[in-house]
Amino acid sequence: MEERRGKLKGETEMNLNIKEEGSTVDWRGKPSNPNKHGGFRAASFVLGLQAFEIMAIAAVGNNLITYVINEMHFSLSNSANIVTNFVGTIFLLALVGGYLSDSFLGSFWTMLIFGFVELSGFILLSVQAHVPQLKPPKCNLVVDGGKCEEAKGVKGLIFFVALYLVALGSGCVKPNMIAHGADQFNIQTNPSHTKKLSTYFNAAYFAFSMGELIALTVLVWVQTHAGMDVGFGLSAAVMGMGLISLVSGTVYYRNKPPQGSIFTPLAQVLVAAVLKRKLICPSNPNSNCNMLHTQRFKFLDKACIKVEDGNSNRKESPWRLCSVNQVENVKILISVIPIFGCTIVFNTILAQLQTFSVQQGRAMDTKLRNSFHIPPASLQSIPYIMLIFIVPLYDKFFVPFAAKITGHKSGISPFQRIGSGLFLATFSMISAALMEKKRRDSALYSGKTISIFWITPQFLIFGLSEMLTAIGLIEFFYKQSLKGMQAFLTAITYCSYSFGFYLSSLLVSLVNKITSASSHGGGWLSHNDLNKDRLDLFYWLLAVVSFLNFINYLFWATWHSNHSYPPPPTAPHEAKEVGDDNIP
């Protein structure tokens, strides 16, 4: 009898899992099977794409400033802005990729289509770098100065079209890699997948670190010694390998079908709340109004008040009457905006490591041995060498140890992880400022060129900071219970990178303008010579801004934690029609 009960219990659990899987489909559009689809086997193919895609884009982005200065002949400040605008556009376009995925295409097809767009951009960059007629005449910007011809007209057009094809493709692919990989784990009905999901996020960052490391060592070395045309071509080949990895896992994926426009239900809540702004929520403690709302955004609760007009069979328009789930989703979306905003300054610091810090390396002694020199762009591989060891150790040892103390399955909460990363970012800029002061003083007053290894600490500190912040932010956003919006929410985390890089461009311009007006020797960053610039003071400014941003984060993280929302009244696969669970 006990054996039969155990068998029936197992069959019941399997049927529940299959019911939940009914909200996902396989590659033929049929309901997915938990025994055949999803899990780490399926996610590993997405991790392959992630490693190859970041390898391709990092090799271009992290050495792009050198190419723009030496081949396209833009000034240092303009080149820095071209790079930061390019990277910022990538992450801003992540919102487009998230929207198209959740609303119309699904993650798999969004990645496949825009993966080929990105590939075409790499190919066009390689062609332009290879054909002399498509570039300005060769010239040494430092020696010849104003005599160098910038890339303009058709040459400039080809360059920017190629660059922004890469940006469009990469931007739309990025959020869907994380979201599609995470979709392979069924955390709604299988509690064991919660820990697996956290492990997947760590594995995704490990794949990211491996891709960055190979890009910043092997691919950048190829660019430096074989030419940028070969380097861009290698990026195209690597991206092609990533697309092969994605397609190879087709038969194993759990695919979440698109939900239609994800913005319409959100807009309906806002419109309904405005139209019913004069109504008062019922005071009955058992009413849905009181079950739903917290102490914030109570105005939105009015969107689910049902107006009694004597005709019980009449259904109100969805633009006047919304479900409890709809209102809850809007509240969640609004509540994560302050957390998102606190990571913008963090990514402004990241922008410095991909622009000015590379130029710092060029002004230092890059000699490792008599005949071997370290490419300055490869400096950014330093944190990833560290992280390929730290990330597995973090997941294997720190998470179980911390979980015993905190009771949190991920060891520490996403909030604690983000906060730790933001705090460390300040010390990255302090290290950068101290090192730049030493480098500049040695060059100006002693006539010495210090070793490139002095720049190592700022990269190591920021690498650890990024691991904590990036994974914590992605985990926090993905776990927000907004049905059908996982890719878009993941895209919001990438949008933080975009705003950070745009803020970097704005700060560079503002600092140049303000310091130029107050000094006869020019602005802090107005020269093409770091020995004449005051990059150390700019780094100190960023250190102060970073610390103030950390204090700001503590406020908003505490605010969010004190007003956490209860779980939605219905599971995602049981969401009711508009008008259900309304407030009478």
Side-chain angles (χ1 to χ4, degrees), residues 227-295:
M228 294 298 293
D229 54 343
V230 177
F232 290 147
L234 193 55
S235 288
V238 167
M239 186 63 203
M241 294 170 65
L243 291 173
I244 291 173
S245 177
L246 173 67
V247 174
S248 298
T250 302
V251 297
Y252 302 113
Y253 295 142
R254 297 171 73 240
N255 300 295
K256 288 188 176 180
Q259 305 291 314
S261 176
I262 58 176
F263 293 139
T264 300
L266 304 180
Q268 288 173 340
V269 172
L270 298 176
V271 171
V274 170
L275 293 176
K276 296 181 177 179
R277 61 189 180 278
K278 296 182 179 180
L279 299 182
I280 300 176
C281 287
S283 58
N284 179 3
N286 295 321
S287 72
N288 283 338
C289 186
N290 287 290
M291 290 170 62
L292 170 67
H293 75 76
T294 59
Q295 295 303 311

Side-chain angles (χ1 to χ4, degrees), residues 164-331:
Y164 283 93
L165 278 175
V166 172
L168 175 61
S170 182
C172 291
V173 166
K174 284 187 183 301
N176 289 288
M177 291 189 294
I178 293 292
H180 191 59
D183 286 345
Q184 307 312 308
F185 302 94
N186 182 4
I187 61 175
Q188 281 81 16
T189 61
N190 194 333
S192 67
H193 277 203
T194 301
K195 174 61 176 67
K196 290 181 179 180
L197 180 62
S198 180
T199 299
Y200 163 74
F201 286 130
N202 288 326
Y205 197 77
F206 179 81
F208 169 83
S209 298
M210 284 296 297
E212 283 272 12
L213 178 60
I214 295 173
L216 294 170
T217 51
V218 178
L219 270 66
V220 167
W221 187 90
V222 170
Q223 291 174 352
T224 304
H225 293 83
M228 294 298 293
D229 54 343
V230 177
F232 290 147
L234 193 55
S235 288
V238 167
M239 186 63 203
M241 294 170 65
L243 291 173
I244 291 173
S245 177
L246 173 67
V247 174
S248 298
T250 302
V251 297
Y252 302 113
Y253 295 142
R254 297 171 73 240
N255 300 295
K256 288 188 176 180
Q259 305 291 314
S261 176
I262 58 176
F263 293 139
T264 300
L266 304 180
Q268 288 173 340
V269 172
L270 298 176
V271 171
V274 170
L275 293 176
K276 296 181 177 179
R277 61 189 180 278
K278 296 182 179 180
L279 299 182
I280 300 176
C281 287
S283 58
N284 179 3
N286 295 321
S287 72
N288 283 338
C289 186
N290 287 290
M291 290 170 62
L292 170 67
H293 75 76
T294 59
Q295 295 303 311
R296 55 183 176 180
F297 313 137
K298 292 189 290 183
F299 169 78
L300 297 174
D301 297 340
K302 298 181 179 182
C304 53
I305 298 177
K306 189 172 183 179
V307 178
E308 298 290 345
D309 60 358
N311 187 354
S312 59
N313 294 324
R314 180 184 175 185
K315 294 189 67 175
E316 286 192 71
S317 164
W319 290 92
R320 295 185 60 87
L321 181 63
C322 303
S323 68
V324 169
N325 276 346
Q326 280 181 269
V327 174
E328 184 69 9
N329 285 347
V330 175
K331 287 189 173 187

Side-chain angles (χ1 to χ4, degrees), residues 82 223 353 400 443:
I82 287 172
Q223 291 174 352
L353 300 184

Side-chain angles (χ1 to χ4, degrees), residues 405-458:
I405 300 174
T406 63
H408 199 284
K409 291 184 179 180
S410 299
I412 57 177
S413 70
F415 276 152
Q416 292 169 327
R417 194 163 183 169
I418 295 169
S420 300
L422 294 181
F423 181 69
L424 284 175
T426 301
F427 292 94
S428 175
M429 285 295 94
I430 292 175
S431 173
L434 293 173
M435 192 289 306
E436 173 58 15
K437 182 70 164 57
K438 177 179 177 62
R439 185 208 64 77
R440 187 174 183 272
D441 288 350
S442 296
L444 290 178
Y445 306 122
S446 303
K448 296 180 180 179
T449 303
I450 65 174
S451 171
I452 197 170
F453 288 104
W454 279 97
I455 209 172
T456 301
Q458 66 202 60

Side-chain angles (χ1 to χ4, degrees), residues 30 96 146 190 200 256 310 328 364 368 520 548 569 573 582:
K30 296 181 179 180
V96 177
N190 194 333
Y200 163 74
K256 288 188 176 180
E328 184 69 9
M364 302 171 79
L368 184 61
H520 297 293
L548 293 176
H573 60 282
N582 303 119

